[in-house]
């Protein structure tokens, strides 16, 4: 059966060049980078090379990169770290309603602990209005966290404008770039970020490793104490193998950024056009232009996402959904709801996220399969047709 | 961690030992931080004829002591007084930041040895 | 040149069987375990298999295992998590003076935040007296954390007796088993642990992955919030590759525990005997009998550890030291100091930790090289000889 993986925003396979380097490292790079003898120093050299590569990818300094156990940890370190590390500056956090749970749940937990939290609303595309940021700022605001590109509907936020406002008021600005890095240019100075999150496994590197960019001079309290690795910000023996793979993935992401994403965007546009043409009552979620080049996110009226997902899986197509039925918490996508979408449409949402391995044939295959699957579930549905909402 | 020059001086330290009839001796450091360096000098006609050292310390301390003796040997007292920790570290082609104090040890011990010689004179 | 790696307590090379499985997983297991389609569920199956293997290794239930980013994170999650998660029970923590920094610095940070901390003294071997634990308990004691085996001098603590005391008083008991698992039997019920830490890279698995065992019913607050992975205790996309390697390493550790450690102990004993015989003024640190089978830890009078380490490295021998000069903080081993050793001897301490790759030839090689190296540095030293302390 044909296999089409279109869930690259969930995770990506390792790039073949990453695999090759990691295979080498598994056999040859086993010292502890903190050890003084040559085997340890050799491992440190590899870790430092990777650090330089990820720094180069985002225009950061070598010393501004802190490796972590993933994007989620980096978000938590940025937010908890900046808040706990700057208690004298204030106790109010601003974020948006469409953030990843790694940001949103972290902030909500701080709210439970007594910090003040403002969650900014978004428009129908999931976009934050910088004017709202301005209005939300108080004397005690210490941190603003707004993501660069949304993991569900692909909308790109006006991060530059928001960071300018933060800077003017002397407030730290964090941005989650897990979905944008390797897809669109991410440069710490262009974005005006004080803190910035990246995860390796979204750019064809291994899972379980990520980084926090921390601008020189920004105070962050560690989440994890111990041996003092990563210049005391993140203790724990370095995940050398993961970091080495991450470094290679970053190098490739920088090298192939333009060509690959131009290629993927063409496929993605064909997919969007085809779906909206072929399937009645299908809607594109997220912003039309200001969106990630690999993201096509739809809601289909009268069908439920998990069923769609499972049927597509049977046909070899891997995608994700914002349906409540599919989530551990049985709650529908907070992103689509924040965009004002009805619960019913949210339940019928499907995300396609393209990547390096996808071809035009893959898109044609999806376009040949999807309409029939949607149609079939609609024929089961008590909604729609005569019973239309 | 250390550059090849440092490693060379670590592996083959120059002028290790004591001078039995030294004209001056200087020791710096203390055991609580593990760093002890002792320098012996022999002075004739205002020239440091011989310089030797002993140390209980890290690789950087051993290399710094060795480099110091090379720098100081044959110099006039005035020239020797002008040797600083930076002179030693630079001659070694640089030391890791947290090892800068080890080159302090060497230069300071030499200055103490010169003081000792001066007071004995 | 002969290469002898004798720093297995710092980290271990990947076991060949672990490498093989990880090579396979790199190519074939790339789904996100949280994804519903088959590729994701396949990844989940692998993660679950690994979870069963690590659970079996320590006699725990499948649902009592929480994967983390390493031993350091597990220690922090256990301690911060138990303290923050049980604020109503109390605010006093008991630990020992010889814990790993992942425990000790984490506890010290809580002390700064207003929690009460008792750090128990140890005897000359680094052993905690259970009677001291009893005396330290207060009404508001919420957690006792005492490690199983020490990473520096190899001394094994009377963990069973301590956990019994904790249990009697209804206090949670955490034990760091990073150094003991795979070396001596570690069973959660035998040890009486409510919380227990393991790290993968000390048992021939990959770095950057570890686990927290949490007995059912013990409340722990997460350090990291987000997607709710690891049953909400540790969010973040699972480090599938690392977890798969860890699982395999655990399987091998269980299988080879007895034979391998009997073999290593014979070598280690030969090393200890040889060193003490050949090198005057050399001292064995840690307990003679109650010690890890692979650990030989010495102090040599009148020499400094970092120089020794570098010289041994030049001869192909990799070891570690507790000398202040070798540490980032320029502070001498807190473990040896807690054992009452003089600063000067601590500076001359060298740790040999043997492992699977070591042979009798390796020991003979060390014994042929070490005395000369020590002698040479003694001849440089202003201490000893006529200037003896
Ligand atoms: C926007 C965003 N932030 C954070 C994360 C979390 O990263 P990780 O999966 O490495 O924990 C993800 C992906 O899951 C994401 O899409
Ligand atoms: C006793 C002990 N606890 C915790 C750790 C930390 O584990 P990790 O290196 O996986 O962070 C180590 C090793 O460094 C250790 O020896
Ligand atoms: S209908 Fe079954 S979970 Fe929604
Ligand atoms: S002598 Fe201790 S760090 Fe150099």
């Amino acid at each position: 059966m044909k296999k089409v993986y279109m869930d690259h925003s969930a995770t990506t396979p390792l790039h073949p060049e990453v695999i090759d380097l990691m295979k080498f490292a598994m056999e040859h790079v086993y010292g502890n980078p903190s050890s003084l003898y040559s085997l340890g120093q050799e491992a440190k050299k590899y870790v430092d090379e990777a650090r330089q590569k990820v720094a180069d990818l985002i225009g950061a300094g070598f010393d501004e990169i802190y490796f972590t156990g993933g994007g989620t940890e980096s978000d938590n370190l940025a937010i908890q770290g900046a808040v706990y590390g700057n208690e004298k500056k204030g106790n109010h956090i601003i974020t948006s309603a469409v953030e990843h749970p790694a940001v949103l749940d972290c902030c909500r937990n701080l709210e439970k602990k007594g910090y003040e939290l403002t969650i900014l609303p978004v428009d129908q595309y999931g976009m934050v209005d910088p004017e709202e940021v301005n209005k939300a700022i108080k004397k005690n605001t210490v941190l603003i966290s707004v993501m660069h590109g949304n993991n569900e509907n692909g909308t790109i936020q006006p991060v530059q404008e928001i960071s300018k406002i933060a800077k003017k008021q002397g407030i730290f600005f964090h941005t989650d770039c897990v979905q944008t890095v390797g897809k669109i240019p991410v440069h710490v100075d262009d974005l005006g970020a004080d803190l910035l999150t990246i995860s390796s496994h979204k750019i064809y590197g291994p899972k379980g490793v990520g980084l926090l960019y921390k601008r020189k001079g920004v105070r962050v309290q560690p989440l994890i104490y111990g041996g003092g690795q990563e210049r005391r910000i993140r203790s724990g023996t370095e995940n050398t193998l993961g970091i080495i793979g991450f470094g290679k993935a970053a190098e490739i992401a920088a090298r192939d950024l333009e060509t690959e994403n131009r290629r993927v965007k063409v496929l993605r546009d064909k997919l969007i056009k085809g779906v909206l043409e072929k399937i009645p009552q299908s809607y594109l979620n997220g912003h039309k232009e200001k969106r990630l080049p690999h993201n096509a996110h739809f809601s289909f009226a009268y069908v439920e996402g998990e069923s769609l997902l499972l049927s597509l899986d049977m046909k070899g197509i891997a995608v994700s959904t914002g349906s409540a039925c599919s989530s551990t918490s049985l709650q529908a996508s907070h992103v689509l709801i924040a965009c004002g979408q009805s619960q019913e449409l949210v339940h019928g949402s499907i995300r396609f996220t393209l990547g390096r391995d996808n071809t035009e044939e893959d898109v044609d295959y999806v376009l040949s399969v999807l309409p029939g699957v949607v149609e079939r579930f609609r024929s089961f549905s008590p909604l729609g047709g005569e019973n239309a909402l | 961690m250390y550059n090849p020059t440092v490693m060379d001086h670590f592996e083959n330290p120059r002028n290790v030992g004591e001078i039995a009839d030294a004209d001056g001796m200087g020791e710096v450091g203390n055991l609580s931080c593990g760093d002890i360096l002792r320098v012996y000098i022999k002075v004739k006609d205002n020239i440091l004829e011989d310089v030797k050292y002993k140390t209980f310390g890290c690789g950087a301390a051993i290399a710094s002591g060795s480099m110091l003796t090379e720098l100081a040997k044959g110099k006039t007292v005035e020239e020797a007084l002008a040797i600083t920790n930076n002179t030693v570290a630079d001659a070694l082609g640089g030391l890791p930041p947290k090892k800068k104090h080890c080159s302090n040890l060497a230069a300071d011990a030499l200055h103490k040895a010169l003081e000792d010689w001066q007071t004995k004179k």
Side-chain angles (χ1 to χ4, degrees), chain A, chain B:
Chain A
M1 189 179 52
K2 192 162 171 57
K3 292 273 179 198
V4 176
Y5 184 70
M6 285 206 186
D7 202 14
H8 292 82
S9 278
T11 194
T12 56
L14 292 173
H15 190 285
E17 292 176 47
V18 172
I19 293 183
D20 285 347
L21 181 62
M22 287 177 72
K23 280 185 177 170
F24 170 84
M26 282 202 287
E27 313 255 10
H28 300 287
V29 188
Y30 69 86
N32 187 322
S34 300
S35 296
L36 296 181
Y37 42 77
S38 29
L39 202 70
Q41 294 299 303
E42 176 82 0
K44 184 171 187 310
K45 215 189 67 194
Y46 276 95
V47 168
D48 282 349
E49 264 174 35
R51 197 184 302 280
Q52 191 60 58
K53 281 176 186 168
V54 297
D56 289 347
L57 176 64
I58 57 171
F62 178 89
D63 281 341
E64 296 176 315
I65 302 295
Y66 299 85
F67 287 117
T68 68
T72 300
E73 183 185 336
S74 297
D75 281 340
N76 277 263
L77 177 56
I79 294 169
Q80 296 186 47
V83 166
Y84 292 139
N86 296 282
E87 295 200 308
K88 279 182 196 145
K89 278 195 73 168
N91 61 350
H92 174 235
I93 312 159
I94 300 174
T95 190
S96 89
V98 295
E99 297 299 311
H100 189 272
V103 167
L104 218 41
D105 285 5
C106 177
C107 288
R108 287 218 182 88
N109 182 260
L110 287 167
E111 192 181 25
K112 265 193 214 151
K113 295 202 168 176
Y115 290 85
E116 283 177 53
L117 178 63
T118 302
I119 299 178
L120 299 170
V122 293
D123 66 15
Q124 59 177 312
Y125 306 114
M127 190 93 75
V128 171
D129 179 354
E131 203 29 58
E132 295 278 345
V133 177
N134 230 337
K135 277 195 261 166
I137 290 175
K138 307 191 207 181
K139 272 203 187 128
N140 58 338
T141 307
V142 60
L143 180 72
I144 300 173
S145 179
V146 175
M147 73 199 314
H148 192 197
N150 189 272
N151 48 302
E152 294 196 31
N153 66 11
T155 293
I156 297 168
Q157 301 290 354
V159 163
Q160 285 94 338
E161 294 172 53
I162 298 171
S163 70
K164 266 186 211 128
I165 296 170
K167 197 170 183 184
K168 210 185 273 172
Q169 309 273 345
I171 298 164
F172 294 127
F173 179 66
H174 167 249
T175 183
D176 178 332
C177 293
V178 169
Q179 291 294 341
T180 48
V181 75
K183 307 287 179 299
I184 58 172
V186 169
H187 189 289
V188 296
D189 291 334
D190 289 352
L191 296 181
D194 296 309
L195 298 157
L196 185 152
T197 296
I198 297 181
S199 176
S200 153
H201 73 101
K202 313 280 183 174
I203 60 165
Y204 307 90
K207 302 184 218 316
V209 53
L211 68 82
L212 179 65
Y213 158 82
K214 183 177 84 59
R215 191 176 288 279
K216 224 163 258 169
V218 175
R219 258 185 71 92
V220 161
Q221 190 174 95
L223 287 178
I224 297 172
Y225 293 84
Q229 289 90 346
E230 297 299 293
R231 284 143 289 143
R232 312 204 77 77
I233 295 294
R234 205 285 192 170
S235 288
T237 300
E238 295 86 343
N239 177 359
T240 45
L241 184 62
I243 290 171
I244 289 169
F246 186 12
K248 188 73 191 172
E251 179 192 327
I252 298 167
R255 182 187 76 197
D256 296 353
L257 178 73
E258 274 194 46
T259 48
E260 183 53 24
N261 289 305
R262 215 170 12 231
R263 192 188 73 81
V264 160
K265 190 165 178 293
V266 172
L267 301 182
R268 193 276 314 264
D269 288 344
K270 181 173 182 180
L271 179 65
I272 292 180
K273 193 155 169 281
V275 166
L276 297 182
E277 270 174 20
K278 291 188 175 210
I279 305 179
Q281 298 193 64
S282 61
Y283 310 95
L284 179 70
N285 295 315
H287 201 281
K288 263 204 186 108
E289 286 94 40
K290 288 178 186 153
R291 81 183 295 134
L292 292 167
H294 67 306
N295 173 298
H297 192 284
F298 306 99
S299 285
F300 303 107
Y302 317 133
V303 288
E304 193 278 319
E306 191 197 289
S307 329
L308 263 184
L309 183 156
L310 293 175
S311 279
L312 289 174
D313 186 33
M314 285 175 190
K315 310 230 180 226
I317 301 170
V319 297
S320 76
T321 172
S323 152
C325 302
S326 76
S327 75
T328 357
S329 58
L330 291 178
Q331 296 208 322
S333 160
H334 69 285
V335 173
L336 299 185
I337 290 180
C339 297
Q341 192 160 88
S342 71
Q343 286 275 355
E344 189 239 334
L345 274 180
V346 175
H347 280 294
S349 68
I350 293 284
R351 180 185 71 179
F352 297 85
T353 42
L354 284 72
R356 300 187 75 101
D357 39 292
N358 292 134
T359 61
E360 185 160 6
E361 275 163 46
D362 291 354
V363 172
D364 292 339
Y365 180 66
V366 170
L367 287 175
S368 74
V369 165
L370 184 64
V373 174
V374 171
E375 195 39 54
R376 179 157 170 273
F377 283 113
R378 282 187 176 161
S379 74
F380 293 1
S381 174
L383 309 174
E386 291 146 47
N387 312 302
L389 295 168
Chain B
M1 184 169 64
Y2 295 127
N3 70 44
T5 311
V6 176
M7 285 314 280
D8 176 50
H9 279 266
F10 170 68
E11 243 182 303
N12 311 293
R14 306 2 169 207
N15 307 306
V16 178
E18 298 169 17
I19 301 176
D21 54 344
D23 297 321
M25 195 273 273
E27 178 177 303
V28 291
N30 64 65
L31 272 176
S32 72
C33 65
D35 314 346
I36 292 185
L37 200 141
R38 191 182 292 159
V39 168
Y40 302 85
I41 53 172
K42 195 90 188 129
V43 186
K44 195 175 168 196
D45 301 337
N46 204 44
I47 301 279
L48 274 69
E49 262 199 324
D50 198 10
V51 186
K52 283 194 175 345
Y53 84 108
K54 278 194 152 188
T55 188
F56 174 83
C58 71
I62 290 175
S64 296
S66 169
M67 181 53 84
L68 174 96
T69 60
E70 287 220 314
L71 289 171
K73 223 167 158 174
K75 295 271 158 58
T76 65
V77 168
E78 291 71 28
E79 285 167 336
L81 279 168
I83 294 174
T84 66
N85 55 322
N86 283 330
T87 324
V88 176
D90 290 347
L92 285 169
L95 287 170
K98 69 165 186 151
K99 295 290 189 183
K100 281 275 155 60
H101 71 278
C102 315
S103 56
N104 278 341
L105 285 182
D108 290 353
L110 173 68
H111 294 158
K112 276 204 174 172
L114 286 164
E115 267 172 40
D116 184 41
W117 164 73
Q118 219 109 39
T119 50
K120 278 187 190 157
K121 199 165 60 165

